[in-house]
Structure formats: C-alpha cells, structure tokens
mmCIF file of all heavy atoms in Angstrom:
data_model
loop_
_atom_site.group_PDB
_atom_site.id
_atom_site.type_symbol
_atom_site.label_atom_id
_atom_site.label_comp_id
_atom_site.label_asym_id
_atom_site.label_seq_id
_atom_site.Cartn_x
_atom_site.Cartn_y
_atom_site.Cartn_z
ATOM 1 N N MET A 1 -22.027 87.232 55.088
ATOM 2 C CA MET A 1 -21.597 86.449 56.239
ATOM 3 C C MET A 1 -21.781 84.949 56.011
ATOM 4 O O MET A 1 -20.958 84.136 56.445
ATOM 5 C CB MET A 1 -22.347 86.888 57.503
ATOM 6 C CG MET A 1 -21.979 88.286 57.985
ATOM 7 S SD MET A 1 -20.227 88.434 58.435
ATOM 8 C CE MET A 1 -19.581 89.330 57.027
ATOM 9 N N ALA A 2 -22.835 84.570 55.310
ATOM 10 C CA ALA A 2 -23.061 83.149 55.014
ATOM 11 C C ALA A 2 -21.975 82.610 54.096
ATOM 12 O O ALA A 2 -21.459 81.499 54.312
ATOM 13 C CB ALA A 2 -24.442 82.945 54.384
ATOM 14 N N MET A 3 -21.613 83.395 53.081
ATOM 15 C CA MET A 3 -20.554 82.949 52.172
ATOM 16 C C MET A 3 -19.217 82.869 52.911
ATOM 17 O O MET A 3 -18.453 81.917 52.712
ATOM 18 C CB MET A 3 -20.449 83.896 50.976
ATOM 19 C CG MET A 3 -21.635 83.821 50.028
ATOM 20 S SD MET A 3 -21.826 82.209 49.225
ATOM 21 C CE MET A 3 -20.361 82.187 48.200
ATOM 22 N N LEU A 4 -18.940 83.833 53.767
ATOM 23 C CA LEU A 4 -17.698 83.818 54.536
ATOM 24 C C LEU A 4 -17.686 82.635 55.506
ATOM 25 O O LEU A 4 -16.691 81.909 55.617
ATOM 26 C CB LEU A 4 -17.523 85.135 55.292
ATOM 27 C CG LEU A 4 -16.249 85.279 56.107
ATOM 28 C CD1 LEU A 4 -15.016 85.211 55.213
ATOM 29 C CD2 LEU A 4 -16.275 86.593 56.869
ATOM 30 N N ALA A 5 -18.798 82.426 56.213
ATOM 31 C CA ALA A 5 -18.882 81.317 57.163
ATOM 32 C C ALA A 5 -18.727 79.974 56.451
ATOM 33 O O ALA A 5 -17.994 79.089 56.917
ATOM 34 C CB ALA A 5 -20.206 81.364 57.926
ATOM 35 N N ALA A 6 -19.408 79.802 55.332
ATOM 36 C CA ALA A 6 -19.320 78.544 54.586
ATOM 37 C C ALA A 6 -17.904 78.321 54.065
ATOM 38 O O ALA A 6 -17.384 77.199 54.110
ATOM 39 C CB ALA A 6 -20.333 78.532 53.442
ATOM 40 N N SER A 7 -17.271 79.385 53.608
ATOM 41 C CA SER A 7 -15.902 79.279 53.098
ATOM 42 C C SER A 7 -14.936 78.881 54.206
ATOM 43 O O SER A 7 -14.136 77.948 54.055
ATOM 44 C CB SER A 7 -15.482 80.611 52.483
ATOM 45 O OG SER A 7 -14.121 80.581 52.115
ATOM 46 N N ARG A 8 -15.024 79.561 55.331
ATOM 47 C CA ARG A 8 -14.111 79.256 56.437
ATOM 48 C C ARG A 8 -14.399 77.878 57.032
ATOM 49 O O ARG A 8 -13.470 77.157 57.416
ATOM 50 C CB ARG A 8 -14.190 80.345 57.496
ATOM 51 C CG ARG A 8 -13.555 81.633 56.992
ATOM 52 C CD ARG A 8 -13.552 82.709 58.021
ATOM 53 N NE ARG A 8 -12.833 83.879 57.513
ATOM 54 C CZ ARG A 8 -12.696 85.001 58.185
ATOM 55 N NH1 ARG A 8 -13.231 85.118 59.391
ATOM 56 N NH2 ARG A 8 -12.032 86.010 57.660
ATOM 57 N N PHE A 9 -15.655 77.521 57.096
ATOM 58 C CA PHE A 9 -16.024 76.186 57.570
ATOM 59 C C PHE A 9 -15.432 75.130 56.640
ATOM 60 O O PHE A 9 -14.854 74.138 57.091
ATOM 61 C CB PHE A 9 -17.547 76.058 57.640
ATOM 62 C CG PHE A 9 -18.029 74.655 57.881
ATOM 63 C CD1 PHE A 9 -17.885 74.069 59.135
ATOM 64 C CD2 PHE A 9 -18.622 73.931 56.868
ATOM 65 C CE1 PHE A 9 -18.318 72.764 59.362
ATOM 66 C CE2 PHE A 9 -19.058 72.630 57.086
ATOM 67 C CZ PHE A 9 -18.900 72.043 58.336
ATOM 68 N N THR A 10 -15.544 75.349 55.341
ATOM 69 C CA THR A 10 -15.037 74.394 54.359
ATOM 70 C C THR A 10 -13.526 74.255 54.475
ATOM 71 O O THR A 10 -12.996 73.135 54.488
ATOM 72 C CB THR A 10 -15.439 74.825 52.934
ATOM 73 O OG1 THR A 10 -16.867 74.912 52.872
ATOM 74 C CG2 THR A 10 -14.946 73.841 51.894
ATOM 75 N N VAL A 11 -12.828 75.373 54.581
ATOM 76 C CA VAL A 11 -11.367 75.319 54.723
ATOM 77 C C VAL A 11 -10.995 74.559 55.996
ATOM 78 O O VAL A 11 -10.099 73.706 55.984
ATOM 79 C CB VAL A 11 -10.751 76.739 54.713
ATOM 80 C CG1 VAL A 11 -9.276 76.704 55.110
ATOM 81 C CG2 VAL A 11 -10.905 77.388 53.339
ATOM 82 N N GLY A 12 -11.690 74.830 57.089
ATOM 83 C CA GLY A 12 -11.411 74.133 58.341
ATOM 84 C C GLY A 12 -11.651 72.644 58.247
ATOM 85 O O GLY A 12 -10.840 71.835 58.738
ATOM 86 N N CYS A 13 -12.746 72.261 57.620
ATOM 87 C CA CYS A 13 -13.049 70.838 57.461
ATOM 88 C C CYS A 13 -11.979 70.142 56.622
ATOM 89 O O CYS A 13 -11.515 69.051 56.970
ATOM 90 C CB CYS A 13 -14.414 70.649 56.799
ATOM 91 S SG CYS A 13 -15.798 70.915 57.903
ATOM 92 N N VAL A 14 -11.588 70.769 55.532
ATOM 93 C CA VAL A 14 -10.576 70.166 54.658
ATOM 94 C C VAL A 14 -9.227 70.129 55.368
ATOM 95 O O VAL A 14 -8.483 69.144 55.254
ATOM 96 C CB VAL A 14 -10.490 70.901 53.308
ATOM 97 C CG1 VAL A 14 -9.311 70.407 52.479
ATOM 98 C CG2 VAL A 14 -11.792 70.722 52.526
ATOM 99 N N LEU A 15 -8.908 71.162 56.119
ATOM 100 C CA LEU A 15 -7.659 71.175 56.876
ATOM 101 C C LEU A 15 -7.611 69.979 57.832
ATOM 102 O O LEU A 15 -6.606 69.253 57.904
ATOM 103 C CB LEU A 15 -7.534 72.488 57.646
ATOM 104 C CG LEU A 15 -6.253 72.710 58.420
ATOM 105 C CD1 LEU A 15 -5.066 72.794 57.481
ATOM 106 C CD2 LEU A 15 -6.364 74.000 59.224
ATOM 107 N N GLU A 16 -8.703 69.743 58.546
ATOM 108 C CA GLU A 16 -8.778 68.596 59.461
ATOM 109 C C GLU A 16 -8.685 67.277 58.686
ATOM 110 O O GLU A 16 -7.986 66.354 59.101
ATOM 111 C CB GLU A 16 -10.083 68.635 60.255
ATOM 112 C CG GLU A 16 -10.143 69.731 61.290
ATOM 113 C CD GLU A 16 -9.246 69.472 62.492
ATOM 114 O OE1 GLU A 16 -8.853 68.309 62.735
ATOM 115 O OE2 GLU A 16 -8.945 70.439 63.203
ATOM 116 N N GLU A 17 -9.389 67.203 57.582
ATOM 117 C CA GLU A 17 -9.396 65.968 56.796
ATOM 118 C C GLU A 17 -8.008 65.666 56.236
ATOM 119 O O GLU A 17 -7.535 64.528 56.280
ATOM 120 C CB GLU A 17 -10.412 66.084 55.656
ATOM 121 C CG GLU A 17 -10.610 64.824 54.881
ATOM 122 C CD GLU A 17 -11.790 64.880 53.934
ATOM 123 O OE1 GLU A 17 -12.580 65.852 53.989
ATOM 124 O OE2 GLU A 17 -11.929 63.939 53.139
ATOM 125 N N GLN A 18 -7.335 66.692 55.725
ATOM 126 C CA GLN A 18 -6.011 66.465 55.162
ATOM 127 C C GLN A 18 -4.981 66.160 56.256
ATOM 128 O O GLN A 18 -4.064 65.378 56.039
ATOM 129 C CB GLN A 18 -5.589 67.661 54.314
ATOM 130 C CG GLN A 18 -6.405 67.728 53.031
ATOM 131 C CD GLN A 18 -6.064 68.913 52.142
ATOM 132 O OE1 GLN A 18 -5.713 69.990 52.609
ATOM 133 N NE2 GLN A 18 -6.186 68.703 50.840
ATOM 134 N N ALA A 19 -5.141 66.734 57.426
ATOM 135 C CA ALA A 19 -4.235 66.449 58.537
ATOM 136 C C ALA A 19 -4.449 65.034 59.066
ATOM 137 O O ALA A 19 -3.526 64.412 59.590
ATOM 138 C CB ALA A 19 -4.442 67.461 59.655
ATOM 139 N N ASP A 20 -5.649 64.525 58.908
ATOM 140 C CA ASP A 20 -6.037 63.223 59.436
ATOM 141 C C ASP A 20 -5.729 62.092 58.461
ATOM 142 O O ASP A 20 -5.876 60.929 58.802
ATOM 143 C CB ASP A 20 -7.536 63.247 59.754
ATOM 144 C CG ASP A 20 -7.974 62.085 60.621
ATOM 145 O OD1 ASP A 20 -7.171 61.599 61.426
ATOM 146 O OD2 ASP A 20 -9.139 61.684 60.490
ATOM 147 N N SER A 21 -5.269 62.403 57.261
ATOM 148 C CA SER A 21 -5.138 61.381 56.219
ATOM 149 C C SER A 21 -4.147 60.274 56.579
ATOM 150 O O SER A 21 -4.292 59.157 56.135
ATOM 151 C CB SER A 21 -4.757 62.016 54.879
ATOM 152 O OG SER A 21 -3.482 62.630 54.985
ATOM 153 N N GLY A 22 -3.156 60.573 57.405
ATOM 154 C CA GLY A 22 -2.193 59.545 57.769
ATOM 155 C C GLY A 22 -2.374 59.015 59.177
ATOM 156 O O GLY A 22 -1.570 58.212 59.644
ATOM 157 N N ALA A 23 -3.418 59.463 59.845
ATOM 158 C CA ALA A 23 -3.636 59.064 61.241
ATOM 159 C C ALA A 23 -4.215 57.651 61.309
ATOM 160 O O ALA A 23 -4.929 57.217 60.420
ATOM 161 C CB ALA A 23 -4.589 60.045 61.916
ATOM 162 N N PRO A 24 -3.912 56.951 62.410
ATOM 163 C CA PRO A 24 -4.522 55.621 62.583
ATOM 164 C C PRO A 24 -6.034 55.733 62.727
ATOM 165 O O PRO A 24 -6.548 56.780 63.093
ATOM 166 C CB PRO A 24 -3.886 55.099 63.876
ATOM 167 C CG PRO A 24 -3.178 56.246 64.496
ATOM 168 C CD PRO A 24 -3.048 57.337 63.476
ATOM 169 N N ASP A 25 -6.737 54.683 62.431
ATOM 170 C CA ASP A 25 -8.201 54.681 62.439
ATOM 171 C C ASP A 25 -8.779 54.536 63.838
ATOM 172 O O ASP A 25 -9.455 53.562 64.139
ATOM 173 C CB ASP A 25 -8.752 53.575 61.533
ATOM 174 C CG ASP A 25 -8.408 53.815 60.083
ATOM 175 O OD1 ASP A 25 -8.278 54.992 59.695
ATOM 176 O OD2 ASP A 25 -8.255 52.825 59.348
ATOM 177 N N GLY A 26 -8.539 55.496 64.697
ATOM 178 C CA GLY A 26 -9.156 55.522 66.009
ATOM 179 C C GLY A 26 -8.694 54.443 66.952
ATOM 180 O O GLY A 26 -9.403 54.082 67.888
ATOM 181 N N GLU A 27 -7.507 53.924 66.748
ATOM 182 C CA GLU A 27 -7.016 52.834 67.596
ATOM 183 C C GLU A 27 -6.871 53.262 69.048
ATOM 184 O O GLU A 27 -7.069 52.457 69.949
ATOM 185 C CB GLU A 27 -5.668 52.342 67.065
ATOM 186 C CG GLU A 27 -5.767 51.707 65.701
ATOM 187 C CD GLU A 27 -4.394 51.438 65.103
ATOM 188 O OE1 GLU A 27 -3.373 51.686 65.759
ATOM 189 O OE2 GLU A 27 -4.347 50.978 63.957
ATOM 190 N N ASP A 28 -6.513 54.523 69.283
ATOM 191 C CA ASP A 28 -6.273 54.996 70.645
ATOM 192 C C ASP A 28 -7.507 55.654 71.265
ATOM 193 O O ASP A 28 -7.418 56.207 72.355
ATOM 194 C CB ASP A 28 -5.117 56.009 70.655
ATOM 195 C CG ASP A 28 -3.813 55.375 70.213
ATOM 196 O OD1 ASP A 28 -3.633 54.162 70.445
ATOM 197 O OD2 ASP A 28 -2.980 56.089 69.634
ATOM 198 N N LEU A 29 -8.624 55.604 70.600
ATOM 199 C CA LEU A 29 -9.827 56.264 71.097
ATOM 200 C C LEU A 29 -10.619 55.326 72.014
ATOM 201 O O LEU A 29 -10.641 54.108 71.799
ATOM 202 C CB LEU A 29 -10.727 56.692 69.931
ATOM 203 C CG LEU A 29 -10.132 57.720 68.978
ATOM 204 C CD1 LEU A 29 -11.074 57.959 67.802
ATOM 205 C CD2 LEU A 29 -9.843 59.024 69.703
ATOM 206 N N PRO A 30 -11.289 55.884 73.017
ATOM 207 C CA PRO A 30 -12.161 55.049 73.857
ATOM 208 C C PRO A 30 -13.275 54.428 73.012
ATOM 209 O O PRO A 30 -13.657 54.967 71.966
ATOM 210 C CB PRO A 30 -12.746 56.042 74.867
ATOM 211 C CG PRO A 30 -11.973 57.299 74.729
ATOM 212 C CD PRO A 30 -11.281 57.272 73.413
ATOM 213 N N ASP A 31 -13.801 53.306 73.464
ATOM 214 C CA ASP A 31 -14.846 52.599 72.726
ATOM 215 C C ASP A 31 -16.096 53.438 72.520
ATOM 216 O O ASP A 31 -16.794 53.277 71.521
ATOM 217 C CB ASP A 31 -15.230 51.297 73.447
ATOM 218 C CG ASP A 31 -14.109 50.271 73.373
ATOM 219 O OD1 ASP A 31 -13.264 50.375 72.464
ATOM 220 O OD2 ASP A 31 -14.082 49.380 74.240
ATOM 221 N N ASP A 32 -16.401 54.349 73.461
ATOM 222 C CA ASP A 32 -17.620 55.142 73.349
ATOM 223 C C ASP A 32 -17.404 56.477 72.620
ATOM 224 O O ASP A 32 -18.301 57.302 72.565
ATOM 225 C CB ASP A 32 -18.226 55.395 74.732
ATOM 226 C CG ASP A 32 -17.304 56.188 75.642
ATOM 227 O OD1 ASP A 32 -16.091 56.277 75.353
ATOM 228 O OD2 ASP A 32 -17.807 56.718 76.648
ATOM 229 N N PHE A 33 -16.237 56.667 72.036
ATOM 230 C CA PHE A 33 -15.958 57.903 71.297
ATOM 231 C C PHE A 33 -16.599 57.812 69.916
ATOM 232 O O PHE A 33 -16.347 56.864 69.168
ATOM 233 C CB PHE A 33 -14.441 58.101 71.151
ATOM 234 C CG PHE A 33 -14.062 59.443 70.622
ATOM 235 C CD1 PHE A 33 -13.937 60.527 71.483
ATOM 236 C CD2 PHE A 33 -13.832 59.647 69.270
ATOM 237 C CE1 PHE A 33 -13.586 61.779 71.006
ATOM 238 C CE2 PHE A 33 -13.482 60.885 68.774
ATOM 239 C CZ PHE A 33 -13.355 61.964 69.656
ATOM 240 N N PRO A 34 -17.456 58.786 69.564
ATOM 241 C CA PRO A 34 -18.120 58.705 68.265
ATOM 242 C C PRO A 34 -17.138 58.986 67.117
ATOM 243 O O PRO A 34 -16.392 59.955 67.151
ATOM 244 C CB PRO A 34 -19.180 59.805 68.334
ATOM 245 C CG PRO A 34 -18.669 60.772 69.340
ATOM 246 C CD PRO A 34 -17.845 59.980 70.315
#
C-alpha cells in the first residue's frame, strides 16, 4: 500500500506540475493565497 500510495501521489504531483507549466504565476490569486 505504501508503494502504491507513493506511486499514485507522485503521478498526481507530476500531473499537476506539468499542467501548471504554462500557467501564469498566481496573478489571479488573492494576496493571502499560499
């Protein structure tokens, strides 16, 4: 389960990172958004 969780977590993180590669740098985010 740890290997499966780590694998799926990693794929999800990379999916988000690759989808975000062309996004603006938080221009539309509120000032208090981390």
Side-chain angles (χ1 to χ4, degrees):
M1 292 298 104
M3 291 297 293
L4 182 62
S7 174
R8 289 183 175 178
F9 170 73
T10 302
V11 170
C13 283
V14 172
L15 184 64
E16 289 288 340
E17 186 169 351
Q18 289 179 327
D20 195 30
S21 63
D25 295 330
E27 295 171 3
D28 297 330
L29 297 175
D31 290 338
D32 62 343
F33 190 85

